Amino acid sequence: MHLDAEAVLWSAPERERAGRSLLVLMHGRGSNESDLFSLSPLLPLEPVIASVRAPITDGPGFSWFDGNDYVDDGPTLEQADAAAGAVIEWLSGIRYTSVSILGFSQGAAVVLQLLRMTPESFSCGVALSGFSVKGEHPGDAELAKARPPVFWGRGTDDWVIGAPAIDRTLEWLPAHSTLTERIYEGLAHGVSAAEVKDIGHFLRENAA
């Protein structure tokens, strides 16, 4: 599984990226790299933003792993590791001073999986309307020691991510991160203006 380097949307041309931090955006199921990139003007200007395309074709869009079962088992650890591994492989060819990661829905699950795999590689993570993948990962013990800053935002009216997935994430995140949790009244499976404002504040404090 590999990311399409030609499909990445950048907030700055290559000549302006050296010596700067990087913020990687990962969209949700069935979407594409243009989705979250629309938030770029509202995010901090210091990092270079790269919005990547998920590797699995899914209808007119793309996904990080097959299936849409967020209620019970959800994706396997192996599926999530494969998706996160594709991001790690892509990052290995990119120059940056530090990297932060932000994802929505499936993309948020990939953010948390990246932290499980290589917590030392990331300044912080932002998980929007997302969840942690079920199961004990070999990197969980190390992540629990590192406890990187994580922003987890979700809406009260989000019926896409099932209660079992939310419940396990509620238990898992405080034990494996320095958590900033925000719940937005009346928000469905999406991102609100208030949430974007909170994300900007979090990134300014935690994205090196």
Side-chain angles (χ1 to χ4, degrees):
M1 187 178 293
H2 306 281
L3 298 191
D4 183 355
E6 299 300 316
V8 179
L9 295 179
W10 292 91
S11 65
E14 187 172 2
R15 65 180 181 277
E16 297 178 9
R17 298 175 200 164
R20 294 174 64 182
S21 58
L22 177 67
L23 172 62
V24 182
L25 309 184
M26 288 165 278
H27 61 78
R29 179 178 185 262
S31 189
N32 59 54
E33 65 278 10
S34 297
D35 188 10
L36 292 180
F37 194 69
S38 63
L39 298 178
S40 297
L42 305 175
L43 297 176
L45 298 175
E46 292 84 359
V48 175
I49 295 174
S51 188
V52 299
R53 177 187 292 176
I56 300 173
T57 301
D58 188 350
F62 302 86
S63 294
W64 292 98
F65 27 78
D66 293 318
N68 195 28
D69 179 10
Y70 303 153
V71 176
D72 296 317
D73 290 336
T76 65
L77 285 172
E78 290 75 18
Q79 286 176 306
D81 276 354
V87 178
I88 292 170
E89 178 190 51
W90 173 75
L91 281 171
S92 68
I94 306 296
R95 292 185 302 163
Y96 50 83
T97 58
S98 65
V99 60
S100 303
I101 43 180
L102 182 156
F104 174 79
S105 195
Q106 274 195 3
V110 177
V111 164
L112 300 182
Q113 204 69 12
L114 282 163
L115 294 176
R116 297 171 101 165
M117 292 178 71
T118 58
E120 72 283 354
S121 299
F122 306 103
S123 297
C124 64
V126 176
L128 308 178
S129 301
F131 57 95
S132 61
V133 174
K134 185 177 181 179
E136 185 175 345
H137 191 275
D140 281 350
E142 186 63 31
L143 182 59
K145 295 178 183 177
R147 297 177 62 85
V150 171
F151 179 98
W152 183 32
R154 65 188 193 280
T156 59
D157 293 353
D158 185 351
W159 310 118
V160 173
I161 309 300
I166 295 298
D167 289 345
R168 72 166 176 264
T169 308
L170 277 169
E171 180 178 356
W172 185 85
L173 264 177
H176 295 88
S177 72
T178 301
L179 179 61
T180 298
E181 182 183 0
R182 295 288 184 270
I183 302 173
Y184 300 91
E185 189 70 31
L187 178 63
H189 195 61
V191 181
S192 69
E195 188 171 27
V196 172
K197 183 177 180 180
D198 290 342
I199 294 165
H201 179 72
F202 175 84
L203 290 172
R204 278 187 287 272
E205 286 195 339
N206 295 286

